[in-house]
Amino acid sequence: MGELRYFPFEEERTDIKDRVREYWTDRAESFYKIRHDEIESNKADRWITEIRKALDAAGLLKDADGQNRKLKVLDLGCGAGFFEVLLGRLGHDVTGIDLTEDMIGKAEKMISFYLPGTSSVRVLTADAEKPEFPDQTFDLILTRNLTWTLPHPVEAYAKWERLLKKGGLLLNFDAEYAKDAHNLKSPENIAHKDISDEMKDRCHAIYHMLTISALDRPLWDEEVLKKVGFSRVETDLNFYQRIYQEKDEFYMPDRMFQIMAVK
């Protein structure tokens, strides 16, 4: 993989994943509600527009006959099943994984509500750093607000690259949440207004347990993705502005970026 800059990840605390799992277990119910409301909002179509734009740029949107392709998709850190519903509605074969069993329960509930009887969308409890699928299984791997929680993101990126087919696409939506940790309790952070200060403090503690919190992202991600084998890597720092244009119930002041990496 070659030398990569600022990499003391082997020194990460061993209890980080337990802390992350416990935090999201306690967030599962409220997280389900906000993702359900987001599916019902104008944000859902905006997300689909952005994903389709990235698929088109990667040459994955249409087949040789000009028809929309049915893709094999892996959603890492699927949470309450937001992308499962959006991409399942488009006819894709979607597998979602999450470290937290309670989140998987909420995702199953979301899928049953919006896609009753579907056989092409499924979720399971698994570690996003070590997804156990054969190499070259997926056309699209996507993830939202996951990478900042990973103790070993380099190994994760390398694993995800192997899981993609040649020409496959990784879409990573994330932000430098730790560097703006004060935003958790800001009145501007409308999306978290109903979360207790105790939960916000727990999230803040997780930020500062992780080496990735101190890195210069997404520049660091670009470097790593190229090192692990992706042929084309692009970042979009204006992505968040196109999705969250209004200061409504989903709004956070942290600026989410998009990373697009083609194998």
Side-chain angles (χ1 to χ4, degrees):
M1 210 163 16
E3 289 296 321
L4 293 168
R5 294 182 292 116
Y6 30 79
F7 253 104
F9 287 101
E10 69 276 5
E11 299 175 5
E12 299 285 37
R13 286 174 48 176
T14 58
D15 65 337
I16 290 177
K17 286 193 179 179
D18 289 337
R19 296 279 291 271
V20 170
R21 185 187 293 107
E22 290 166 2
Y23 173 79
W24 287 110
T25 295
D26 291 344
R27 283 282 312 275
E29 183 63 41
S30 62
F31 198 76
Y32 172 86
K33 181 182 183 304
I34 196 166
R35 289 294 166 260
H36 173 275
D37 291 349
E38 192 172 12
I39 289 171
E40 295 289 332
S41 76
N42 58 11
K43 309 297 183 294
D45 283 342
R46 292 177 189 173
W47 275 101
I48 288 298
T49 296
E50 295 297 326
I51 293 170
R52 288 175 60 86
K53 186 193 308 181
L55 290 172
D56 192 30
L60 292 172
L61 187 62
K62 304 285 186 179
D63 62 19
D65 297 322
Q67 301 299 309
N68 287 335
R69 291 182 59 187
K70 180 177 180 177
L71 302 175
K72 196 166 181 63
V73 180
L74 176 63
D75 177 16
L76 298 160
C78 67
F82 181 77
F83 284 142
E84 282 64 34
V85 171
L86 267 57
L87 295 173
R89 282 173 166 174
L90 297 179
H92 298 300
D93 185 294
V94 187
T95 300
I97 66 172
D98 199 280
L99 187 66
T100 306
E101 290 184 9
D102 287 57
M103 279 294 189
I104 290 298
K106 297 302 181 186
E108 290 172 340
K109 178 180 177 182
M110 193 84 79
I111 294 164
S112 295
F113 182 81
Y114 284 106
L115 302 169
T118 184
S119 61
S120 60
V121 179
R122 68 206 63 81
V123 290
L124 55 101
T125 305
D127 187 342
E129 288 192 331
K130 301 174 182 178
E132 296 182 357
F133 302 97
D135 290 354
Q136 300 185 59
T137 294
F138 299 99
D139 302 291
L140 169 65
I141 295 177
L142 75 168
T143 183
R144 174 184 180 184
N145 292 338
L146 168 77
T147 319
W148 74 266
T149 71
L150 299 181
H152 309 102
V154 181
E155 290 84 349
Y157 273 144
K159 176 64 174 176
W160 303 349
E161 191 272 344
R162 292 195 297 273
L163 292 181
L164 282 169
K165 301 174 186 177
K166 185 175 181 180
L169 173 66
L170 170 66
L171 280 179
N172 186 352
F173 308 104
D174 205 12
E176 291 189 298
Y177 294 110
K179 292 183 180 177
D180 294 313
H182 59 279
N183 286 337
L184 279 171
K185 296 182 180 179
S186 167
E188 289 278 295
N189 197 330
I190 304 171
H192 291 97
K193 66 181 178 62
D194 294 328
I195 298 173
S196 70
D197 283 350
E198 185 268 339
M199 289 295 291
K200 291 173 183 176
D201 289 341
R202 286 168 62 185
C203 185
H204 187 276
I206 291 170
Y207 289 155
H208 295 288
M209 292 171 67
L210 292 157
T211 299
I212 195 171
S213 296
L215 303 182
D216 186 10
R217 305 183 64 208
L219 292 176
W220 176 86
D221 302 74
E222 287 187 60
E223 179 184 2
V224 174
L225 289 164
K226 290 173 183 175
K227 288 283 188 180
V228 302
F230 284 93
S231 63
R232 173 181 159 202
V233 181
E234 299 176 6
T235 58
D236 185 344
L237 301 180
N238 297 316
F239 162 81
Y240 190 74
Q241 296 172 352
R242 298 194 296 274
I243 300 286
Y244 299 102
Q245 299 170 20
E246 306 88 2
K247 290 189 176 181
D248 55 16
E249 63 182 297
F250 312 105
Y251 182 80
M252 295 185 296
D254 309 277
R255 312 313 294 173
M256 187 185 296
F257 50 77
Q258 173 188 278
I259 304 172
M260 171 181 165
V262 179
K263 181 170 178 176

